[in-house]
Structures are given as C-alpha cells and as structure tokens.
Amino acid sequence: MPNKLNLDSGETLKQGAKGAKVQQLQEILKALNLNPGTIDGDFGNNTIKAVKQFQNQQGLEADGVVGKNTQNALNNALGQVTTSSTLSTPIPTDQTKGFGGETGKLPLPAIPLIKEFEGCYLKAYPDPLSGNLPITIGWGTTKKRDGSNWKLGESITQQEADDLLMIQLENSYLPPLQKIPVWNELNANQQGALLSFAYNLGANFYGSSNFKSMTRVLTDKKWDEIEETFLKYRNPGSNVEAGLKRRRQAEAKLFLTPVS
C-alpha cells in the first residue's frame, strides 16, 4: 500500500507535473481502483481523468488539480482501504468449503475480490460510468437496508459499509445465481468468481442476450474456455476497460484456483 501524499503548503499537482510526488499520486489512485495509466511520475491525460473521477466520487470540484482538499480526501480514502484490508474476514460456516453469511451459502472468496476492485467510499457518489445514477456508497452498494436509494451527501461508517456489502450480496445477488443450473456443482472459488462478476455486471446475467458466451460456457461446463470468456466482458474501447480487464483476469484466476 502506498504512503499518504504530503504536499508542501500551497503546492498543487496538475497536468504536466512530473516527479516522485506525481508517481506517489498515481500509486494512490491505483490503490483506490482508479486508472492513472502508467505509473511513471508524469501527470498525463489518464492521471487527470483518474483525479477527476476521484473528485466526483468525493463531491469535490472535478478540476483535475490536486491541492489541499483533494490531497486530504485521497489520504482519507487510502486510510479506509488500508483499514478495510486488515478487517477480519467473516468466519465461514463451513471452513472446508469457504461458505458463510446468514444462510451459510455465500461464497466467501468473492468478498476480498469485490473489495479489491470496488474500493470503499463512505460518502455517496454518482456512478463513475454514467456520472449520475445509481448513486453509490461503501463497497459499491446502491441500495440502503430498506431497499431505498442513496442520495448525494449521505455518508456511512466503515462497519456499515462492510455490513451492507454482505447483506446486498446475500439478499440481492446470491438468489439469482443459485438458479444457474450448474451452481451447486461449483466450488467456493468458482462461485466466488461468478459472484464478483455478477456484482459488477448484474445478478441476472445468466441467460441474458448480452451474456451468451458466459451462459454457454457455464451451461456446457467448458472450463478450458472460462478465462477467455471472462475477458470478453471488459467494455472494450471505454475509459474503464483497463480496470475491468484486471478484474476479469482476477475473477478467472479465482475460478480456476482449486479449493484445498
């Protein structure tokens, strides 16, 4: 995990800046699951896009300039990620299979994977892709406990963020996945990879017209094609492709990792 950013009084980082502090900024942005481009100490177009995206998430002026307010927000977000990575993992109901949650059927290997790529923000922010709805908070949670929507300006604690993730996974994502014909034949790692995939792309992906390749591979149990199939779902040509590619690769790796 990178160290916190420490700018001198009145110092700013903006497009065209170069050096060690820019590289540190890029490392922080990457740790927050934003895409600053190559970690090279050069504040270029990808870095400014990542800074603006972060500023939007935090409710700051999205000017792409890292001054005191953005520095403080970056360091606070980095601290939340560091803290969350040290939180105790929920104890599986069945230690040998890696399942837990209230029902004992939630594939726990999905949790660290989802947290790694979602990042945690304790203040509600607009969806990065649409710039508007759905308003999101915590580990990419879009609904409150009562099912209502979040509003910009609302905030939660770290514990609430962790609890909301588990509740949403178990109540909104697990039931549709359990309808996949081969679901009960899959081990915890395989189910966990698909749960991460669903959390990112939608719980009802199986059988959907936009997911014919994944549906076919799961139906036919073509595990030799699973990695290339995951990689198809990365929004090619979009500004989120690089991040989605890393996530798809991680999901495929988890799916193909045997349960010891």
Side-chain angles (χ1 to χ4, degrees), residues 12-165:
T12 62
L13 297 177
K14 56 186 177 180
Q15 192 166 21
K18 300 178 186 294
K21 289 185 179 180
V22 174
Q23 182 173 336
Q24 186 181 10
L25 166 65
Q26 292 170 328
E27 290 172 348
I28 292 172
L29 290 167
K30 185 175 181 181
L32 297 175
N33 295 311
L34 298 166
N35 179 22
T38 305
I39 310 298
D40 57 4
D42 188 349
F43 200 127
N45 290 331
N46 288 326
T47 301
I48 193 172
K49 287 179 184 178
V51 169
K52 287 182 176 180
Q53 183 178 346
F54 174 78
Q55 290 170 327
N56 271 323
Q57 292 174 351
Q58 298 294 312
L60 300 169
E61 180 185 358
D63 58 4
V65 177
V66 180
K68 182 179 178 180
N69 290 339
T70 299
Q71 173 195 254
N72 291 340
L74 283 164
N75 289 340
N76 287 337
L78 182 65
Q80 291 167 13
V81 171
T82 304
T83 300
S84 68
S85 68
T86 62
L87 293 174
S88 58
T89 302
I91 299 173
T93 302
D94 184 336
Q95 289 280 5
T96 64
K97 294 184 178 179
F99 296 104
E102 292 294 323
T103 62
K105 296 180 178 180
L106 192 68
L108 295 180
I111 308 302
L113 188 59
I114 289 171
K115 286 185 173 182
E116 176 184 352
F117 286 99
E118 291 293 338
C120 187
Y121 303 94
L122 303 182
K123 185 177 179 181
Y125 61 91
D127 178 72
L129 197 58
S130 71
N132 190 11
L133 299 178
I135 304 302
T136 307
I137 202 166
W139 300 104
T141 303
T142 57
K143 298 288 184 182
K144 298 181 180 181
R145 289 174 184 261
D146 62 5
S148 61
N149 296 323
W150 293 100
K151 297 179 181 178
L152 291 177
E154 293 184 304
S155 61
I156 56 175
T157 66
Q158 183 66 59
Q159 187 60 55
E160 287 173 326
D162 294 339
D163 291 345
L164 281 169
L165 174 63

Side-chain angles (χ1 to χ4, degrees), residues 8 31 35 39 60 72 81 134 139 175 185 189 198 220 228 238 256:
D8 297 330
N35 179 22
I39 310 298
L60 300 169
N72 291 340
V81 171
W139 300 104
E185 300 176 32
N189 286 345
D220 297 339
E228 64 184 79
S238 72
L256 295 170

Side-chain angles (χ1 to χ4, degrees), residues 92-246:
T93 302
D94 184 336
Q95 289 280 5
T96 64
K97 294 184 178 179
F99 296 104
E102 292 294 323
T103 62
K105 296 180 178 180
L106 192 68
L108 295 180
I111 308 302
L113 188 59
I114 289 171
K115 286 185 173 182
E116 176 184 352
F117 286 99
E118 291 293 338
C120 187
Y121 303 94
L122 303 182
K123 185 177 179 181
Y125 61 91
D127 178 72
L129 197 58
S130 71
N132 190 11
L133 299 178
I135 304 302
T136 307
I137 202 166
W139 300 104
T141 303
T142 57
K143 298 288 184 182
K144 298 181 180 181
R145 289 174 184 261
D146 62 5
S148 61
N149 296 323
W150 293 100
K151 297 179 181 178
L152 291 177
E154 293 184 304
S155 61
I156 56 175
T157 66
Q158 183 66 59
Q159 187 60 55
E160 287 173 326
D162 294 339
D163 291 345
L164 281 169
L165 174 63
M166 296 294 285
I167 291 169
Q168 184 160 315
L169 288 174
E170 193 146 28
N171 293 343
S172 300
Y173 287 84
L174 186 59
L177 293 176
Q178 289 175 317
K179 295 177 182 179
I180 297 175
V182 298
W183 181 258
N184 290 329
E185 300 176 32
L186 304 178
N187 63 40
N189 286 345
Q190 292 170 326
Q191 290 186 3
L194 292 176
L195 180 54
S196 171
F197 182 84
Y199 194 66
N200 181 227
L201 297 175
N204 297 294
F205 71 84
Y206 184 85
S208 168
S209 60
N210 292 330
F211 293 89
K212 289 180 179 179
S213 294
M214 182 62 80
T215 298
R216 178 188 60 80
V217 167
L218 290 176
T219 301
D220 297 339
K221 293 184 273 191
K222 297 284 189 179
W223 305 150
D224 59 325
E225 299 178 24
I226 195 72
E227 184 172 9
E228 64 184 79
T229 303
F230 269 109
L231 284 169
K232 290 180 179 180
Y233 302 96
R234 63 180 195 278
N235 285 13
S238 72
N239 63 348
V240 296
E241 179 180 4
L244 288 179
K245 182 179 179 181
R246 290 195 298 271

